Amino acid sequence: MRPSPRPLCPDIPAIPWQEPEPDGRDAVWRYRDNPLLDWDPIPCASRIFNSAVLAHEGAFVGVFRTEYHDGIPRLHFGRSRDGLAWNIEETPIPFDYEDESLRRFHYAYDPRLVRIEDTFYITWCNDLHGPTIGVARTTDFRTFVQMENAFLPYNRNGVLFPRRIGGRFAMLSRPSDTGHTPFGDIFYSESPDMTFWGRHRHVMSRGGGWWQGLKIGAGPVPIETSEGWLLLYHGVVNTCNGYVYSMGVALLDSDEPWRVRQRCANSLLRPQKPYETTGFVPNVCFPCAALCDGASGRIAIYYGGADTTTCLAFTTVEMLFEAMRRHPQR
Ligand code: BMA
C-alpha cells in the first residue's frame, strides 16, 4: 500500500474546524454559519471578501480586501482569536515605501499573505498603469513596507510559495489584461531577492472541464505535502449570464513546481449557497487563503462569496488527494 501523503506544514491546534455532515459526499464542505463577514462589515466599507488569513502566535491575522463606498478596494489588517470572528481595523494598512516612486495608490485587491522564514509578505493586485502584482513585507504587523511590483502589467493572482525553492523565492501568477480578462493560465517565476523576477515557466492551462474553460488563477498559498504542493485555484466559465468562479485542486512537483503531478477534473466548490450566488457579483467562490494543520491534515479555506462576503470551507489533505485520484484530469 502506498503511504498516505503527509502535510509538511506547522501544526495549528486551534484551526477553525467543523466535521462534514454524516451523509456528506463532497471533498470540500462549507462552514455551517457562513458567511463570516456579510454586507457592511465595518463603517467605511460595504463589502469585505477575497481576503487572506494566517495563523500567528496562537491566534490569527488577516489582510482584507475592503471595498469602500466609493467602490475602490483597499487593504485592511485584522486579527481574530478563533479565525471566525474578526476585528478589522478601520483604516487601510499604512505602507512605507522601499522606493518613493511606489507611492501611488489607485486600488488594492485580492491579497495573499504568507510567512517565509521570519518575514510575512503580502501580495495583491496593485495598479501600475494597469493591474500587476504588488508586494509588501512586515515582521510585526505594525510596520509594512511596500516593495517593488513583481511584474510588468498586466497580471493578477500573484501567490508566493511559503519557502524558497532551489534557493529562490517563487511565485505563481496569471498574466491578464486591463479588464475582466477573458483568458488566463497559471505561470511560475523565481527571484533571488524579491525584486527581480525571472525564469518564468508555464504551470497549467485553462480547459478540460467547462467549469475552468475560460481562465484559471492560483488561489491560496500552496500547501506543502510529502508528495508535492497542493494548489487550490479558481476556475472560470463564461455563461450566457456572465462569469462563474469555482474552486479546483492540483498537485505541483515539490522541487520543480511548474510540473503538474496531478489535477482534479472536477470543481470542488461551486457557487450554490445564496451568499455565493447573490451579491455584488453573482456566482463567485474565490479562495485566497488556506490554513493547514500539520498534525491532522485539516484544511480551512477562506474564500470570497459573490464579491460580497467572506466565507469558510473545510477539507483535508487526504480528501484532496482522494479527489484527484478519483477524478483525474487527463
Ligand atoms: C476577478 C477579480 C476578483 C473577483 C472576480 C469576480 O477578475 O477581480 O477579485 O472576485 O473577478 O468579480
Side-chain angles (χ1 to χ4, degrees), residues 182-248:
F183 62 87
D185 299 339
I186 298 175
F187 289 80
Y188 176 90
S189 308
E190 292 182 352
S191 172
D193 55 7
M194 278 280 184
T195 298
F196 298 99
W197 291 89
R199 290 192 81 226
H200 311 293
R201 301 282 182 272
H202 173 262
V203 179
M204 58 189 206
S205 295
R206 56 201 182 271
W210 283 5
W211 70 273
Q212 53 179 337
L214 186 74
K215 56 179 170 175
I216 56 173
V221 168
I223 296 167
E224 187 163 24
T225 76
S226 52
E227 310 300 301
W229 299 96
L230 280 172
L231 175 67
L232 294 166
Y233 66 96
H234 66 260
V236 184
V237 56
N238 192 11
T239 72
C240 58
N241 215 16
Y243 291 1
V244 176
Y245 285 69
S246 303
M247 185 187 77

Side-chain angles (χ1 to χ4, degrees), residues 50 65 109-110 215 245 281 284 286 307:
N50 298 6
R65 170 177 176 162
Y109 63 82
D110 296 357
K215 56 179 170 175
Y245 285 69
V281 179
V284 181
F286 198 95
D307 286 10

